Amino acid sequence: MKEQSFESFSKNLHRTNQRKPLYGQIELTYNCRYSCRHCYCKNQPRNDLGAGFWKKILDQLKSQGCFEITFTGGDPLLHKEFLSIYDYAIKNGFLVTIFTSGYPLTDELISFLSDQPPVSIEITVNSLNKLTYEKITGFKGGFDKTFSNIYKLKERGLPLILKCNGLRQNKNEIYQIKKFAEELLGKGKFKYDSFIFPGLNGEKAPLDCRLKPEEIKEIEQNDEDMLRQRRDQLKLK
C-alpha cells in the first residue's frame, strides 16, 4: 500500500467526497488574552457555551460523517472546559487541529496534549521583534511566554505549525518569519494569510491593517510556497 501524508489524504478525500461535511471549525470561545489590531472577533460576548452543548454538536457532526475538527476562537485554550471537550473529540475519533496564540499554554496542558496529541497545533507569530509583536497583539509580556511555549512544544515532539497574517505592521518581516518557522520545524511548517476581515460587530478598524493588493501580490509571487498556498486556498490550478 502506497504511503501518503495526512495532508495529501485529506485533500484527496475532500476533493472526491462532496456530499458530506468532512471538516468542521468550531469557535469555542471569543476569550483571548490578546487584543490584536486585526482581529475580527474582538468585543464579542464572552459567555461561553458549556461542554455539554459542544459534545452534542460533535455527536451531530460525527453522525454526518465529519472527521476533522479545528478548535479556534478567540483562543480555544481559554474555554474553561477545553480539556473535557478536546478529550471527547479525540475519543470519538476526530482528527483535531488547535488554533491558538500559544500564550495560554501551561506545562500541564502541554503534558496533556502530549498524551493525546492533535493532528496539529497552529500558533500565530506576527513578528519576531518583541516590540512589534506586542504592538500587534496589544498585550505586553506575550512575546517571551509564547516563544517559550513554542520551544516546549517542539521539545515534546508535538505537531506544530507557525503562521502569520500579512499586515501593514509586519510586511517587511514575513519572509523572516517563514525562515524562522522552517529552520525551527522543517519545510512546510509555515502558513501565511493576508485576508483581513471587518469585525463581527461591523467594526472596520481591522481593515486598517490590510496590505494593499499590490503588496500582497509582490509578497506571494516572490515565494513559491506562499503562492501555492494561495492557489490551493482559491482552488486555482
Side-chain angles (χ1 to χ4, degrees):
M1 181 180 294
K2 182 181 178 181
E3 290 188 7
Q4 61 177 318
S5 67
F6 170 75
E7 184 178 4
S8 296
F9 165 75
S10 179
K11 284 183 178 179
N12 289 334
L13 188 58
H14 282 271
R15 189 178 299 116
T16 58
N17 198 332
Q18 302 296 322
R19 295 181 178 274
K20 292 183 178 181
L22 302 178
Y23 170 76
Q25 186 163 303
I26 294 177
E27 294 182 343
L28 284 181
T29 179
Y30 288 130
N31 284 296
C32 186
R33 295 281 187 264
Y34 290 172
S35 183
C36 294
R37 300 174 67 168
H38 58 282
C39 181
Y40 70 92
C41 63
K42 285 198 301 184
N43 304 318
Q44 292 300 299
R46 302 298 176 95
N47 298 321
D48 297 340
L49 297 167
F53 172 87
W54 290 118
K55 289 175 182 179
K56 289 179 181 177
I57 294 295
L58 290 171
D59 288 341
Q60 292 174 30
L61 289 171
K62 182 179 178 181
S63 71
Q64 295 300 311
C66 180
F67 74 99
E68 288 186 70
I69 288 291
T70 294
F71 289 130
T72 181
D75 198 312
L77 301 183
L78 291 177
H79 191 289
K80 292 180 180 179
E81 296 178 282
F82 172 77
L83 294 182
S84 175
I85 299 167
Y86 177 86
D87 180 69
Y88 189 82
I90 292 292
K91 288 180 177 175
N92 275 275
F94 285 100
L95 302 175
V96 179
T97 293
I98 301 170
F99 288 176
T100 176
S101 68
Y103 181 82
L105 285 161
T106 62
D107 290 343
E108 293 76 16
L109 183 51
I110 291 172
S111 294
F112 178 89
L113 294 174
S114 296
D115 292 336
Q116 298 188 75
V119 169
S120 180
I121 301 170
E122 299 192 9
I123 294 179
T124 300
V125 175
N126 278 329
S127 180
L128 301 177
N129 177 278
K130 183 175 181 178
L131 181 61
T132 304
Y133 180 95
E134 295 186 349
K135 280 185 177 179
I136 292 172
T137 61
F139 185 83
K140 291 186 177 181
F143 181 88
D144 292 335
K145 184 179 179 186
T146 295
F147 275 81
S148 174
N149 284 333
I150 287 171
Y151 289 115
K152 287 178 181 179
L153 291 171
K154 181 179 184 295
E155 289 171 4
R156 295 296 290 267
L158 280 157
L160 181 60
I161 288 176
L162 301 185
K163 56 189 181 181
C164 80
N165 303 103
L167 308 169
R168 289 192 303 104
Q169 293 83 355
N170 70 356
K171 67 179 181 180
N172 295 323
E173 278 194 82
I174 291 170
Y175 297 139
Q176 295 175 345
I177 297 170
K178 179 176 186 278
K179 181 180 179 182
F180 169 79
E182 294 189 338
E183 287 181 349
L184 181 68
L185 303 171
K187 186 73 172 175
K189 299 300 182 181
F190 171 80
K191 292 183 178 180
Y192 159 82
D193 192 2
S194 60
F195 288 162
I196 304 297
F197 301 98
L200 292 175
N201 59 0
E203 185 179 359
K204 295 183 179 180
L207 304 183
D208 292 337
C209 298
R210 273 183 178 173
L211 293 171
K212 297 177 182 178
E214 56 267 27
E215 291 175 319
I216 296 171
K217 181 179 177 181
E218 181 180 1
I219 289 168
E220 295 179 1
Q221 289 194 336
N222 286 327
D223 187 281
E224 291 182 3
D225 297 325
M226 292 187 201
L227 187 58
R228 189 181 308 111
Q229 285 182 27
R230 175 67 70 216
R231 289 183 179 277
D232 287 346
Q233 189 176 30
L234 299 177
K235 310 297 183 186
L236 298 175
K237 295 182 179 179

